[in-house]
Amino acid sequence: MARYITRRVAYSFLSLFLLSLTIFLFVRVTGDPTTLLVEPGASQADIDAMRERFGLDRSLWVQYASFVRSLVHGDFGQSFYYRTPVLELYLSRLPNSLLLALAAMAFSLLIGVPSGILAAVRVGRFWDRAGKVFSLLGLSLPSFWVGLVLILFFSVYLEWLPSSGSGTALHLLMPAFALGWYFAAAHMRLTRSSMLEVLGSDYIKLARLKGLPESLVIAKHAFKNALIPVLTLAGINLVIMINVAVVVETVFAWPGIGRLLYEGITFRDFPVVQAVVLLGGAMIVIVNLLIDILYAVIDPRIRLEA
Amino acid sequence: MSTRALLELQNLSTHYVSAKGRRVVRAVEDVSLRVAAGETLGIVGESGSGKSTLALSILRLLPPAARIPSGRMLFEGEDLLQKSDAEMRRVRGKRIAMILQDPMASLNPLFTIGDQVAEPIRVHEGATRASAWARARDLLKAVRIPSPQARLSQHPHEMSGGMRQRIVGAIGISCEPRLLIADEPTTSLDLTIQAQYLNLLRELQRAHGLALIFITHNLGIVAKMCDQLAVMYAGRVVEQGPVRQIFKAPAHPYTRALLSSIPRMSDGRQRLTAIDGQPPDLSALPPGCAFAPRCPSAFDACRAAEPPEIAGVANSRVRCWLAAPDAGRGKAGNGAL
């Protein structure tokens, strides 16, 4: 077991190392940030001075080595644009991302779980077919398009909801919907298949043989069992939601880490882009590591393979 | 039979119909059976002969593709096929209970034993939680679960297989049903626990005076447990009557074949006989007797028309042209197997 965990942890570090190298090189392909940071009409000497200040005059490998050295000490560097430590920026935006992800998760479960149950209970009939159309739309409509349609309808046309910004519960509604839309469909599909499997089990048959009303069979005996895999997936999806909200946060000008990443890319703010991508990657790597370990605890066969 | 029947099936058929209605599987066809109060009826047959479908038909818990196109199911004088879904729900678990093929998988892993045993009592009798749990404890004691009070608050995974089996039995008798249907309840158990469980079922039957329908493919269990026997083949009851009568003088060639395929410790001289061929496709049955293609005694009449049920000795009935008084016995040779 200890050997298995050591190996998993080693793989995790390897993934993060490769991610740091890739993102480090990729941002530098986008161009020279100093041209965006100096005032219009600045002299070549000014530009050179700024390049030197950010350490961009050194060779790539020297830059990478110093980046990794700082990382080991927990230092993500200074933002070129804001001139503040990147980690501070990141942590100040994280609560907004978390709020948005939680709201989107609540929405996706509220829609996905009941519709998945309905589809399973009425399998092959109208509600099941309607659910199939819904999940197809959910999985295939891009979130920026959903966001724009929402703004057009609720902000421009009906004038019910603010089109961008944050601060009130009303600001949260549309971004949460746009972000949760895809996940609602994913949760619906898993709920449906999980429920169908449970409904075919012997303990459901016995519950019916006991003479229980069908509502009790579904709500008590089937529901709880069907929900277990859905909640596992939802836990993973929450971490993913925090990190994939770039498009939605940009469309709705929501001040989370997704928008921070977008700004970082726009201004060629290398330290910001590197930090957001690496921290997001770290979150996902850690969740996967935890799941791998939990599976090994549950299933002895996995332990033996390692 | 002088005793009034508790359950009487009259010409019952259950078919599975494919989505477009093109394929019809005649899982149960024209079955007439009766079970008297306190009596045990054994139903035997190969896998796929319609035993389980017959059991689920009685409780009307068939999958959506199933239809019951004809027949009557009289239980205590009322036709179960005429009952509404809500009325049927009050029959299930309360007046007719059933134990499934795999009692190990029959308990919900997320709820306590007490909750699951008390559930039918609360639903059918409107008992309070406390009194239903007290009854559940007595039931566990009745099926010989040690320290029943402590077991009530445990979950199924904390019990052994034999214990879970007895708990399913306790759920079966919880509302004191008049009829208990047991669908191969011992196939997943090892032999010693199997014997204990069968003894327990007999005791419960005697104590509560309930009728038992025992579905099995084990003729040894039939000999030990049952008063009456019905042999099913391809959805039909081909022979029925008192167990002793049928074991002594089986009238149907299929029954004879079944009985000669049991190994006997007593006489090692006789060879075991296997039945040649495969059971027929229930959606494309031959025109005459369904067993004719495999029957060593078949003659012309068998392939031309389906035999009717013919009354035999001691209330037994058989579906075979050999038993008909003038069905050209001569052509069938001596009819020996």
Side-chain angles (χ1 to χ4, degrees):
Chain A
M1 187 72 181
R3 229 183 102 201
Y4 172 81
I5 293 176
T6 320
R7 262 174 74 146
R8 287 282 123 200
V9 171
Y11 279 133
S12 304
F13 274 107
L14 182 67
S15 314
L16 287 177
F17 164 71
L18 290 175
L19 181 65
S20 74
L21 191 63
T22 315
I23 192 63
F24 179 86
L25 294 175
F26 266 40
V27 285
R28 275 155 183 80
V29 175
T30 59
D32 187 349
T34 47
T35 54
L36 296 175
L37 292 168
V38 294
E39 283 171 28
S43 70
Q44 187 59 43
D46 291 341
I47 292 175
D48 287 345
M50 188 162 275
R51 286 174 64 91
E52 205 183 322
R53 211 178 117 206
F54 292 141
L56 294 168
D57 54 334
R58 294 174 296 170
S59 83
L60 272 184
W61 299 113
V62 174
Q63 287 185 48
Y64 183 69
S66 88
F67 166 61
V68 171
R69 206 176 308 122
S70 312
L71 269 187
V72 172
H73 295 101
D75 179 9
F76 285 87
Q78 293 256 326
S79 158
F80 295 166
Y81 182 77
Y82 291 102
R83 315 279 160 102
T84 53
V86 173
L87 198 60
E88 265 176 36
L89 269 178
Y90 186 86
L91 292 177
S92 71
R93 299 288 189 93
L94 192 59
N96 282 326
S97 280
L98 200 61
L99 179 66
L100 177 61
L102 284 173
M105 178 57 72
F107 160 76
S108 77
L109 289 178
L110 242 47
I111 299 284
V113 171
S115 60
I117 288 173
L118 190 64
V121 172
R122 299 254 181 279
V123 63
R125 312 244 288 275
F126 174 78
W127 282 112
D128 188 25
R129 277 178 225 162
K132 265 183 196 145
V133 174
F134 162 72
S135 73
L136 189 69
L137 289 178
L139 295 175
S140 52
L141 294 181
S143 57
F144 74 87
W145 186 84
V146 174
L148 291 175
V149 169
L150 287 175
I151 291 178
L152 192 66
F153 196 70
F154 289 103
S155 305
V156 179
Y157 189 67
L158 292 173
E159 296 181 20
W160 285 357
L161 295 170
S163 67
S164 67
S166 65
T168 70
L170 287 181
H171 285 98
L172 189 57
L173 282 178
M174 287 196 295
F177 187 96
L179 180 60
W181 174 247
Y182 170 89
F183 294 94
H187 292 156
M188 185 218 140
R189 285 167 62 120
L190 185 64
T191 307
R192 177 182 179 274
S193 63
S194 160
M195 190 75 179
L196 280 178
E197 198 184 316
V198 169
L199 285 177
S201 70
D202 271 7
Y203 55 82
I204 294 301
K205 210 171 181 185
L206 184 71
R208 288 182 176 139
L209 284 170
K210 283 174 173 178
L212 306 188
E214 191 62 16
S215 56
L216 195 64
V217 173
I218 302 290
K220 179 180 169 185
H221 286 272
F223 179 70
K224 256 181 132 180
N225 282 288
L227 214 56
I228 294 171
V230 180
L231 290 182
T232 313
L233 178 73
I236 301 162
N237 278 346
L238 186 68
V239 176
I240 292 175
M241 278 176 174
I242 293 172
N243 292 292
V244 299
V246 183
V247 173
V248 169
E249 290 186 6
T250 307
V251 168
F252 292 98
W254 181 264
I257 53 173
R259 181 148 172 83
L260 185 66
L261 179 65
Y262 173 77
E263 291 165 1
I265 293 169
T266 315
F267 299 128
R268 294 185 192 144
D269 198 342
F270 296 169
V272 165
V273 177
Q274 287 164 183
V276 174
V277 170
L278 263 180
L279 286 169
M283 265 192 236
I284 288 166
V285 164
I286 289 171
V287 166
N288 278 316
L289 181 65
L290 287 178
I291 292 166
D292 281 348
I293 292 173
L294 280 179
Y295 279 160
V297 170
I298 293 163
D299 189 343
R301 285 171 304 176
I302 299 174
R303 265 178 272 162
L304 289 175
E305 273 167 35
Chain B
M1 223 176 288
S2 54
T3 41
R4 181 168 162 261
L6 176 71
L7 175 74
E8 183 166 4
L9 307 183
Q10 298 175 348
N11 312 97
L12 183 77
S13 295
T14 305
H15 298 165
Y16 292 106
V17 184
S18 69
K20 292 195 175 122
R22 270 195 230 117
R23 239 171 82 95
V24 176
V25 175
R26 297 164 189 276
V28 172
E29 185 74 13
D30 195 20
V31 165
S32 299
L33 282 175
R34 42 188 292 153
V35 186
E39 193 180 63
T40 302
L41 167 71
I43 300 180
V44 294
E46 295 164 297
S47 322
S49 59
K51 299 170 301 204
S52 297
T53 300
L54 179 63
L56 289 176
S57 300
I58 295 169
L59 284 148
R60 285 184 42 202
L61 268 181
L62 291 159
R67 307 274 176 281
I68 301 183
S70 61
R72 301 215 297 163
M73 298 196 297
L74 299 175
F75 179 73
E76 296 185 318
E78 304 163 46
D79 190 352
L80 296 179
L81 288 173
Q82 303 300 321
K83 288 190 179 293
S84 70
D85 286 348
E87 285 169 331
M88 224 23 237
R89 208 154 50 231
R90 286 193 286 276
V91 172
R92 285 181 210 127
K94 169 79 183 145
R95 293 162 66 192
I96 306 177
M98 181 166 166
I99 299 173
L100 293 173
Q101 274 185 17
D102 184 5
M104 305 284 278
S106 303
L107 294 172
N108 193 324
L110 298 185
F111 295 96
T112 59
I113 299 301
D115 183 71
Q116 299 190 57
V117 179
E119 202 169 30
I121 304 169
R122 299 188 65 184
V123 167
H124 289 298
E125 295 168 21
T128 61
R129 185 175 183 278
S131 72
W133 276 56
R135 285 261 301 277
R137 190 197 54 225
D138 295 341
L139 284 162
L140 293 195
K141 204 188 276 170
V143 297
R144 310 249 175 69
I145 302 274
S147 50
Q149 184 66 43
R151 292 292 181 183
L152 284 178
S153 50
Q154 290 189 336
H155 286 84
H157 69 265
E158 296 170 84
M159 321 254 147
S160 71
M163 249 191 251
R164 276 189 259 177
Q165 181 111 40
R166 279 175 278 155
I167 286 164
V168 171
I171 292 174
I173 57 162
S174 60
C175 291
E176 302 188 344
R178 307 286 297 128
L179 172 65
L180 180 66
I181 303 173
D183 186 359
E184 302 194 24
T186 57
T187 33
S188 60
L189 293 184
D190 60 61
L191 285 173
T192 47
I193 299 186
Q194 197 169 327
Q196 279 176 17
Y197 193 64
L198 292 176
N199 286 333
L200 179 69
L201 279 180
R202 289 220 77 144
E203 276 173 41
L204 293 173
Q205 178 181 25
R206 246 175 257 139
H208 299 271
L210 47 78
L212 208 57
I213 293 182
F214 212 98
I215 296 171
T216 181
H217 47 239
N218 185 335
L219 284 165
I221 291 180
V222 170
K224 183 177 147 79
M225 297 284 293
C226 304
D227 310 307
Q228 302 284 321
L229 173 62
V231 180
M232 284 190 80
Y233 184 80
R236 288 160 180 78
V237 172
V238 292
E239 181 163 10
Q240 57 175 306
V243 170
R244 264 189 228 159
Q245 172 62 31
I246 293 181
F247 272 57
K248 196 173 69 192
H252 197 283
Y254 179 64
T255 316
R256 266 180 258 157
L258 273 187
L259 286 171
S260 63
S261 65
I262 322 173
R264 270 173 225 272
M265 297 288 269
S266 51
D267 54 2
R269 286 161 301 162
Q270 240 180 2
R271 291 190 57 194
L272 285 179
T273 2
I275 307 174
D276 289 331
Q278 292 295 314
D281 177 357
L282 294 178
S283 64
L285 287 172
C289 168
F291 188 60
R294 299 170 77 184
C295 182
S297 325
F299 56 102
D300 293 346
C302 302
R303 292 175 201 98
E306 223 192 300
E309 280 201 313
I310 298 160
V313 216
N315 285 315
S316 66
R317 278 183 288 167
V318 61
R319 259 184 201 276
C320 181
W321 285 121
L322 290 174
D326 48 278
R329 244 181 192 280
K331 284 185 202 165
N334 54 13
L337 204 60

